[in-house]
Amino acid sequence: EAGVTQSPTHLIKTRGQQVTLRCSPISGHTSVYWYQQALGLGLQFLLWYDEGEERNRGNVPPRFSGRQFPNYSSELNVNALELEDSALYLCASSLLLRQALQETQYFGPGTRLLVL
Amino acid sequence: RKEVEQDPGPFNVPEGATVAFNCTYSNSASQSFFWYRQDCRKEPKLLMSVYSSGNEDGRFTAQLNRASQYISLLIRDSKLSDSATYLCVVNIPTLKGSARQLTFGSGTQLTVLP
């Protein structure tokens, strides 16, 4: 079974540019989560999508946005890039079960973004 | 106070040693607990879920103490391949009704030495 896939694997942008990152969840998973991990730091939650809708948003500026498509794949958009946006962007998918207390997330390999 | 706190380490142990990692969480309403492993410059991978009664998977044992809001991971007979960062992860209910998200600790770095 294919895991979570992300594209591109690496990206170099300059300040002020815009970037779109893509994620395909595990087949059958309806939830997609986006995280940011700056070098040497922990994971910061960015956004959560489920069934095509944004369900929750982390403490991130409005220039971070995204969407989820009918096939459950997702895009993360970052506008007006800043130097501190340089990080590994991780996507995770899970199957949201109603009343579930355990919901396991599986991560893709990430997209490394460098902002110059 | 951070929602999930871990000792960052690093822990440097010889092969064959037993090592324990601790983690505390601040939200008593948390329901799900996990340990993930992250190798250098790679994505986190689920190591094991943590259940109330404690659980074991080979050389790995996880314990949960809800009263103290404390989670632990014990690794016995350490292997060189166990070298990684171990992330304590807690599912913390949000204010948005059924909305849930995972909160990751900053990780504990382990190096197993030959």
Side-chain angles (χ1 to χ4, degrees), chain A residues 67-81:
Chain A
R67 55 180 174 166
Q68 187 178 34
F69 299 97
N71 66 353
Y72 304 115
S73 66
S74 176
E75 285 182 351
L76 174 69
N77 298 293
V78 187
N79 294 322
L81 284 167

Side-chain angles (χ1 to χ4, degrees), chain A residues 33 35 37 39 41-43 45 48 55-57 88 90 96-97 99-110 112, chain B residues 31-34 36 38 40-46 49-51 87 91 94 96 98-106:
Chain A
Y33 300 77
Y35 296 87
Q37 187 175 33
L39 191 62
L41 298 181
L43 274 73
F45 168 72
W48 170 28
R55 300 295 185 180
N56 204 9
R57 183 180 182 89
L88 176 66
L90 291 161
L96 179 60
L97 302 174
Q99 310 304 321
L101 297 180
Q102 285 278 357
E103 182 185 334
T104 305
Q105 294 183 13
Y106 298 90
F107 284 84
R112 294 198 178 278
Chain B
Q31 297 284 357
S32 302
F33 310 90
F34 308 89
Y36 277 72
Q38 187 172 25
C40 186
R41 300 177 67 81
K42 298 283 191 180
E43 74 273 22
K45 293 187 177 178
L46 178 67
S49 300
V50 186
Y51 301 112
L87 305 172
N91 182 308
T94 72
K96 289 188 179 180
S98 62
R100 298 185 291 254
Q101 67 185 62
L102 294 184
T103 298
F104 286 74
S106 53

Side-chain angles (χ1 to χ4, degrees), chain B:
Chain B
R1 183 184 173 187
K2 290 183 181 178
E3 290 182 301
V4 180
E5 292 206 62
Q6 294 182 249
D7 180 346
F11 284 62
N12 299 315
V13 302
E15 269 188 289
T18 295
V19 61
F21 304 139
N22 302 319
C23 168
T24 58
Y25 59 95
S26 61
N27 191 323
S28 60
S30 298
Q31 297 284 357
S32 302
F33 310 90
F34 308 89
W35 284 100
Y36 277 72
R37 169 196 170 128
Q38 187 172 25
D39 292 289
C40 186
R41 300 177 67 81
K42 298 283 191 180
E43 74 273 22
K45 293 187 177 178
L46 178 67
L47 180 64
M48 58 197 304
S49 300
V50 186
Y51 301 112
S52 296
S53 55
N55 48 299
E56 187 174 306
D57 182 2
R59 298 181 293 109
F60 300 85
T61 300
Q63 296 280 351
L64 168 63
N65 184 321
R66 286 187 184 273
S68 301
Q69 295 179 204
Y70 168 98
I71 306 160
S72 66
L73 176 68
L74 183 76
I75 305 175
R76 292 182 300 279
D77 189 23
S78 299
K79 311 291 185 191
L80 295 177
S81 57
D82 294 335
S83 298
T85 296
Y86 289 83
L87 305 172
C88 173
V89 185
V90 177
N91 182 308
I92 298 177
T94 72
L95 296 176
K96 289 188 179 180
S98 62
R100 298 185 291 254
Q101 67 185 62
L102 294 184
T103 298
F104 286 74
S106 53
T108 299
Q109 186 180 339
L110 171 66
T111 300
V112 180
L113 305 168

